[in-house]
Structure formats: structure tokens, C-alpha cells
Amino acid sequence: MTGNRKALLAVVALAVVGLAVWLLFLRGGDAPRTAAPTASGSGTPAEQITKPARVDTERPASSSAPPPSVLIDRDPEGPLRLEGQVLDGDDAPVGDAEVVLSSNPPRTARTEADGSFAFDKLVARVYRVSARAGELTGGPVPGTPSGEPVVIRLRQGAVVVVHVADEAGAAVAGHQVELRATVDQVATTNDAGVATFRGVGAGWSVVTAAPQGGFAAASTTAVVGAGGASIDVTLVLRRGAAISGRVLDEAGKPIAGARVLPRDASAGWDFADGSRDGVLTDAKGAYAIAAVAPGTYRLTARAPGFAPGSSGLVTVDGRTALTDQDIRLSPGGTIAGKVVDGRGAPAPYATVRIGGAPGDRGVGEVRQVSTDDAGGFRVDGLPRAKLRAHAESETAASAIVDVDLVAAAEANGVVLALDVTGTIAGTVVDSAGQPVAEVTVTATPDIWKGTGLDRVMLAGPATATTDGGGAFVLRGLPDADFRVSASGGGATGFGWGAAGAAAVSAHTGATGVRVLLPTPGSIVGTLVIDGEREAPSAVAQVGWSPPTPVVAGKIRIAELAPGEHDVTLRGPMFGDYTVRAVKVEPGKETDLGTVTVPRGRRLTGKVVDASGAPVVGAKVVIGDMLFADGKQLGMGDETIESQSGLRSTRSGEGGAFTIIGLPREATGVMADHEERGRSPGAMVPAGDGDPPAITLTLRAFGSIAGKVIRAGQPGAGYQVLASVKDSEASQLAVVTTGDDGAFVLEKVPSGSIYVQAIQPGMMSMTNVGTTVEVAPGKRAEVTLEFAVGDVTLTVSVAGLAGAHIDGAQVFLVRGIAAFANGQDITDATLKGGSEVVGMKFSFGGAPAVFPELVPGKYSVCTLPITGDMNDPVFAQRLQENAMKLAVYCKQVEVTPSPKAQELVHEVPAMNPLPPPAP
């Protein structure tokens, strides 16, 4: 997710980064969850006594962002075999490569001298297969046991250098670090505190360290660009205190084999994997965590047969061990039944997925199981909630079936019929029009034409692999519009949110679909800063692909789809600089020549406390949107901060600070000291010269704790946002509620704080908020309760006087609102000047539907979009101008009856986007 104020307009998250990151946005920034392969040979699972009965093994299928987490129950032994071969870039076989299969438990194999590998005893489902050999990496690519042999082509991977240090900055030697990627790696830091990983694929990876040597567990991200560009990552370890207790059932009996994991309640980002991090309880239900860093936590637990559960909020000071921290689990619900084919015959070894309704934050991961040899399935340990079930085989899928576990703990006799048999068939060709074999084809819902995301949220996108003649058939599709794209070698940077490769529109039933997978091109150049002699430190980014480091001033961005791209250069010494409409041709290198960027402006100032005394060691952050979590300014992760355009420094002697690299545009600045307080956000004015010096005055910390309630029930997994009302700059702190609906913001500056809860839904969200007065050193308590009525308002968006509109984002505001543009909506959302109670998208002629409204006066405020949302360049430029996009408001009275009411909102077409500035 980008770290700027435009992220508040959900059109930005949706339009700019496409489906993958939109799902990430809906989930509140959840990190990718991957699972380590077991150490085994010949593709045989390594059985371990301590291994849980199920683990989370679904890996990201896209390099741009992680998909929803899928918890796969242990696979049964099937009768099938999957074969394949690993090749290098010259199509030569690669022997002794490590191959990883996304089974449960994950399985590994080593290739023979001819590059071949095989996994047997598999069931008929789509697996993902990855490989690594030294500095080369490939995949994940989809493979089915009954399909063509899987071919994984390796390419140059990145080198990820992890610098492990303690809070004082001292190197930590001899510490084990794990890189969780398509193929996981483990390394131990050397005397300089450095662990090095080679052959890392493009996209998201997680770097993590378990508790060791008095240090608590820690994690960060590594976002790798294409083409083997290397990156440096810093992992900061904090010392902590031990926590111990028991996991018990409702009757107080111990639960053995439960996995316990502390989750930081105030952290904005949590990269822990609930299926393998943490500790297991012993036969007496006891657990002991060696070290937990200071903070406020929820102790989560899960065990077979029980619904996942958690403790209340637990405060850790980092010095005093906590004992008797018991966690009670409730019996889980059960769904059992069978899967049948279109003729009603049992479907053995079909895949069944069970999850919550879209946007139901109280339901965790999607559960996945395989049917037995008679088509039967049973899934226990499910949350007592309204769930949905879906089944698929290699050739067909079922409709989504609603299953209610609220009223009853068991739902038996559920029948999932594999009668969704729609297909899309075609051929993948290269730039010369020749068929391309052994590449991945993906069909994702065309949301701009009104296709919903229900199926893909539960079952994932449909994929297929081309045969030797480049032909493919995508199966099990409902009657809908899709976007069909191809990528070679798995996560290569092609597709949505990456290099901007075009996808083809196709409706179910289409044949002869021609998908172009052009030979990738590249961009090179030299970066210099005007007036500077030394090569700058920077990254280069195309669209929303992972950024690529600029090494010694040399720009090289590989694996780019042909077409026009905007290339953004970002570095600590200059403001973001974009080279527009760079043309990339298939198989060719586009040379930007020497790109001279102006030196960034320099901001000087000082940080003081309320008495005017200088503050040394305060963190000063500059950015369009100033993020915090529940305890610290910034995004809690150095990699995410740097890639989202934030710049930071620490105040020195006399509280003085200097930050270089400000853009010419106006931007925000804020200061934070972990003990002495946080300042409101201030604005740095636009201009060509250095801005005037600024003084940032810290306000002493208070805290806010509370609960989110909806329809009398706890609002689990809601986002809670807190903003300083008199802040000049856009800023907010974000935390997430627990199962009990509770939340805590450990550190907020004293004064008037606008606190709001957001319930994300399927391309929508609902809000409720209030202003809280926070006194220094005191904790304010607040309850955020969603008003739930029984009236539904359906808003249809139409073009005024025949104006052409491709889509719209519709906001529902309580009372009378007169927003003029996106900036007005952002300000209202942050500071509560107007209560934005809901947001919906309208695409493909589908109306925006607002259910459960309480009668009263409202304003419907519509942001029209005119343009091709499938064009990544248009989407990127739309984001750049999001604050300026016009919004049109219309007042509406929602009456107690009828219960279903309609409104047509006629609006002009979107104003043309201004020509892009260099």
C-alpha cells in the first residue's frame, strides 16, 4: 500500500494497484503469509511430532502483493503424480535445484541431472511449484497432477542483505534469521550482524527472527524488484520479558498442541505467521514464550477442533515476566458434506474452501481441505459465524453456498455440486505472433464491468498453463466478464500492479482468445542530482511493481512489459521525480540517457516540548500522509516507509534537525519522541527554494482505549483510525480491533483526537466516529457503535446531459455536505468535519447499495471516473490527481418507509486529467 493521503480514497487503492493490492487494502495491510518447506528428500513430507495438524501454505501468486491467507488442512494421500523440469534462461536443465510444492505439509525435492523432479501421492488440485538454485530462482507456477509437466525457468534472483541490530544500533551476531519467500531460506548473522540470502524472487518477502538470546521475535519486509536487483534490509531486535500460561477449553481442561502467538495490539503491521510462529502447548496445556518486547498484546491461540481465540489486552513492560496468562478456546463449528460432479456422482479429492462473507473481519483465514476418495469432507474448528463454501476440481467448480454456524454448531449434509463449467479458451503468443508454451494464464474478475469479487475472494483467480502449442483452457468459470493475462515463470513482474502488461477482456464461453505475452524490455539510464558529484542513493519504480535500487547512479529496470510507462525516481536527496511516457519495445533496452533531477529542498528546524525545552532524539518524518500505529510515528517498518515516500531523521543537539530531499510541492512534517510526546502535523509550503525553518512542539502522550460495537456484537477486526483534529497536515494512526472488539492506542498526543472505526467490505466500507479529548498521561475511554437501521438506499449514477461515465465512487455522508473534491473528503474523513458513514463503488452500471441505514438526512457525494481503469498509466495518473478530482453532492432524505429506496445521481463526466508534470 502506498503511504500517502490518497490512500484514503479507496479508488486509489483499487484503481492504481488492481485486484491484488485492493485485497490487501481490504485486509488492513496484512502481510503475506507463507510457510516453510519441510526438510525432505524425493518429495516426501517430513513428519514432525510438533507439527500442527494444519498449516498455512498458500503462497502469493503475484509478485505485487500478498493475497488473502489460506489455511490448508493436511492433504490426504492421493493416487496422482506431478512431474516437471527446471531449466535455466538458456533452456538448459538445472540439476540439484531445490523445488518446493505447495502441499500440506509443504514438500521439497531435488532435481536430477536433467532438471527433472516429481511428487507423488497427490490429489487433483492446482499446486504451486517454485525452485531455486544458487542465485537463480523461478516460480511459483501452477501445476496439476493430471496436466502437462510443470516447467520452471530460473532467472537471476536478488541478493537480500539483512543487517540485524539491537535498539542501540549495535550489530547482533550469531542470530538465526529466516527469509520467507517463494523458496524459504535460513541464515545466521556474522560478526557484523549481517545475514545474506541469494536467489530471492521479485515481490514481497518477510524477514523474521524467532525469540533468541533475550531478544523478542521481530520481522520486517523485503520488497524485491525484478531483474535480480539486490537490496539491504535492517531488522531491529528488542529485548523482552517472558510470558507463560495455559490454553484451556470452556470447562477449564487443558488443550495440548495449541499454538500460541502474541500479536501486538498497537502495531500497524504484523508479519507473524499464525501457523508456525509462536509456541505449542504441552500435554498440560502450558506454554512459555521466552521473550516478548514491551507493548500491548493479544495472546492468540488455535488448536484442532476449536475455534481460534485470543486473550484480552495484555501489557508487557519488557522486564517483568508475566505468568498465568491463560487463554480459553471455544469449541469450533463443523461443516461436513460431500462434493458431487454435474451428474451427482461423488467427486473424490476435490478442493473445498470455506471462508467468511466478503468484508467479515471477524472471520479469519480461508480454510481449504480435500475430499476423500468418496467425495466426502469434514471441516472442524470453524468460527461460529455465517460462512460460505465452495468446491472445485481441475475441470469444474461449484456455486458458493452459504452455511450458517451461528444458530447451530454443525452443518451436516452440505452438498457442493461441480456444475459451474464455464470456460475461456485461447492461445498465448509472443511479440512475433508465435505460440508460447508452459506459461501461466490467469483470469481475474473484470470489476470495471461489474463482475463481483465474491468467488475470487474465496477461491482465488482461475489459472491454467499453456500446452506445447501455447493453447490454454480456463475452467470452472461462472458466467461473467474476466480479464485474461499471461506471465512467464510465475511471479515475473507482469500483470496487474506490476509492469503494466495488458490483459484481454473475455466473457465466459469465449474461444480463440489471443493473449499477448511480449518479450520483455528494459529501461536503463544514469541518475544525477543537479550540482552534486556523487552518485545518488535511490530507487526506480514503474507503476506499482516493486522498486529497483539505483546502484552507483545506474538505472536498470528489467522484465518490463512493452508499452508506455511512467518511471518514478525516489531518493533521500531529492523529491520524487517522474520521467513520463517512456516507450519500451519488446526485447529492447530503452536508454533514458542522463536524468538530472533537481536537488531536493532542505528543511531545517528544531523539536521542543510544551515548555520550549529542546528535545534530542525525536523522530521527524516528512510525507504527504503521516502515518502512525498505536505507539509510534512512521509505519513501523523501514522498508515500507522508504518505499512510500516518507523521509525521516532524528533531532540532534539543541533539538535541531535537517531533512534534505523535500519536493517542490507542499508536504507535511511531524515529530515524535517515544517518551516526551508527539507534535501535530505541520505543513511545509510549496516552492522552489528551501522552506523557512520550523519549530515542532511535542504534546505529552495520553492514550485511548475502547471497543467497537455493531448490532450489539463486538466488531472484530475493524480498523480504528485516530487523527489530531488541529493538525495542519494529513495524518492518522491505525490499529485493529480484536475478537472482543477492543482496541488500544497506547500513544496519542494530548488534545482533541477524532477516532473512527472502519468496517471494510467488498469494494466498500462503513464508518463511525467521534471526537475524544485526551489529557496528558491519562487514558480516554470510548465506544464506537455503528447505528444499524433497516432501510436500504440504492444509488444509481448517471451521466448528466448524456455525459460518459465509466465508474464512480459514491460516499454517503450524514447531514448536509458540500464537498468539492477528493481533498475535501479526505479532510472530512480525517478530522470528522462531516461524518462519512459509507463508501461504495459503482462500475459496469451496477448501483451503489447502502443497507442498514437509520432514517435521517444524508448527502450522496459522487466522484465520477471517466477513462480506462484497466490502463495502468491512466490509473497511476488518476492517483496523482486524486485530491483534485471533482466530487458532486446531492441531499437525500431517508425515510422510515419504504424499506427499499432509490436515488439517481446525475453527475458530469470527470474533468480531464491535467497534463502530467515532469
Side-chain angles (χ1 to χ4, degrees), residues 563 650 725 765 771 774 860 865:
R650 293 277 178 180
K725 292 202 68 169
M765 61 184 183
T771 297
V774 178
V860 172
I865 300 172

Side-chain angles (χ1 to χ4, degrees), residues 188-427:
T188 301
T189 58
N190 60 20
D191 290 343
V194 174
T196 303
F197 301 95
R198 302 182 183 279
V200 181
W204 284 76
S205 297
V206 172
V207 178
T208 186
Q212 180 182 338
F215 290 108
S219 58
T220 187
T221 58
V223 185
V224 176
S230 299
I231 64 169
D232 286 77
V233 173
T234 298
L235 184 64
V236 177
L237 304 182
R238 304 171 67 198
R239 296 199 175 272
I243 296 181
S244 60
R246 296 179 302 165
V247 178
L248 308 171
D249 65 15
E250 290 181 324
K253 295 181 179 180
I255 300 175
R259 184 166 291 274
V260 180
L261 177 66
R263 297 276 190 182
D264 192 334
S266 286
W269 302 86
D270 186 354
F271 304 110
D273 185 334
S275 69
R276 57 174 165 160
D277 291 326
V279 297
L280 295 175
T281 57
D282 62 18
K284 296 181 180 180
Y287 71 88
I289 303 171
V292 178
T296 301
Y297 294 84
R298 295 182 185 92
L299 301 170
T300 63
R302 64 186 325 145
F306 292 87
S310 65
S311 69
L313 297 174
V314 177
T315 300
V316 180
D317 63 13
R319 301 180 303 275
T320 307
L322 298 180
T323 60
D324 301 324
Q325 299 298 312
D326 293 347
I327 309 167
R328 291 186 180 265
L329 298 184
S330 301
T334 298
I335 298 177
K338 64 180 179 178
V339 177
V340 298
D341 63 20
R343 297 169 298 178
Y349 307 119
T351 297
V352 176
R353 284 193 174 188
I354 297 174
D360 186 348
R361 305 280 294 178
V363 178
E365 303 94 342
V366 172
R367 287 281 297 279
Q368 177 175 307
V369 300
S370 296
T371 60
D372 59 24
D373 56 4
F377 69 91
R378 180 183 178 87
V379 187
D380 59 14
L382 292 168
R384 296 289 304 277
K386 292 183 177 181
L387 302 176
R388 305 181 309 152
H390 169 86
E392 60 185 30
S393 66
E394 293 181 89
T395 59
S398 77
I400 293 175
V401 175
D402 293 324
V403 183
D404 188 355
L405 291 185
V406 176
E410 292 193 15
N412 296 305
V414 175
V415 177
L416 302 174
L418 298 174
D419 54 8
V420 179
T421 58
T423 62
I424 294 176
T427 306

Side-chain angles (χ1 to χ4, degrees), residues 305-653:
F306 292 87
S310 65
S311 69
L313 297 174
V314 177
T315 300
V316 180
D317 63 13
R319 301 180 303 275
T320 307
L322 298 180
T323 60
D324 301 324
Q325 299 298 312
D326 293 347
I327 309 167
R328 291 186 180 265
L329 298 184
S330 301
T334 298
I335 298 177
K338 64 180 179 178
V339 177
V340 298
D341 63 20
R343 297 169 298 178
Y349 307 119
T351 297
V352 176
R353 284 193 174 188
I354 297 174
D360 186 348
R361 305 280 294 178
V363 178
E365 303 94 342
V366 172
R367 287 281 297 279
Q368 177 175 307
V369 300
S370 296
T371 60
D372 59 24
D373 56 4
F377 69 91
R378 180 183 178 87
V379 187
D380 59 14
L382 292 168
R384 296 289 304 277
K386 292 183 177 181
L387 302 176
R388 305 181 309 152
H390 169 86
E392 60 185 30
S393 66
E394 293 181 89
T395 59
S398 77
I400 293 175
V401 175
D402 293 324
V403 183
D404 188 355
L405 291 185
V406 176
E410 292 193 15
N412 296 305
V414 175
V415 177
L416 302 174
L418 298 174
D419 54 8
V420 179
T421 58
T423 62
I424 294 176
T427 306
V428 177
V429 298
D430 62 16
S431 300
Q434 297 301 307
V436 184
E438 302 155 357
V439 296
T440 302
V441 182
T442 303
T444 54
D446 194 338
I447 53 179
W448 315 124
K449 291 186 176 180
T451 302
L453 294 173
D454 280 27
R455 182 185 182 278
V456 76
M457 287 285 286
L458 185 59
T463 61
T465 302
T466 58
D467 63 18
F472 67 88
V473 180
L474 294 155
R475 303 181 186 276
L477 299 176
D479 186 26
D481 291 297
F482 291 89
R483 300 284 295 176
V484 183
S485 60
S487 61
T492 62
F494 282 84
W496 253 115
V504 177
S505 294
H507 193 88
T508 303
T511 59
V513 176
R514 186 179 174 91
V515 179
L516 176 64
L517 181 61
T519 305
S522 61
I523 293 175
V524 298
T526 301
L527 174 65
V528 298
I529 300 177
D530 190 22
E532 299 286 340
R533 293 185 178 181
E534 295 185 5
S537 170
V539 295
Q541 190 168 19
V542 171
W544 284 265
S545 60
T548 299
V550 175
V551 180
K554 298 300 181 183
I555 303 167
R556 179 170 181 78
I557 312 172
E559 302 295 330
L560 288 174
E564 285 195 353
H565 301 284
D566 288 350
V567 181
T568 298
L569 302 166
R570 181 178 295 120
M573 299 293 291
F574 59 94
D576 289 5
Y577 186 91
T578 301
V579 184
R580 302 287 182 178
V582 178
K583 188 175 182 179
V584 174
E585 297 184 6
K588 294 184 179 181
E589 187 177 86
T590 299
D591 192 347
L592 299 177
T594 299
V595 180
T596 303
V597 301
R599 180 186 69 85
R601 298 191 294 158
R602 180 191 303 263
L603 175 67
T604 61
K606 64 179 179 178
V607 181
V608 299
D609 64 16
S611 68
V615 177
V616 178
K619 182 177 183 178
V620 181
V621 178
I622 284 182
D624 287 343
M625 168 61 76
L626 302 169
F627 279 101
D629 58 17
K631 56 189 176 184
Q632 62 185 345
L633 180 62
M635 303 176 76
D637 184 279
E638 182 179 273
T639 303
I640 295 174
E641 285 189 12
S642 63
Q643 292 176 3
S644 51
L646 297 181
R647 291 173 173 80
S648 65
T649 188
R650 293 277 178 180
S651 60
E653 185 176 352

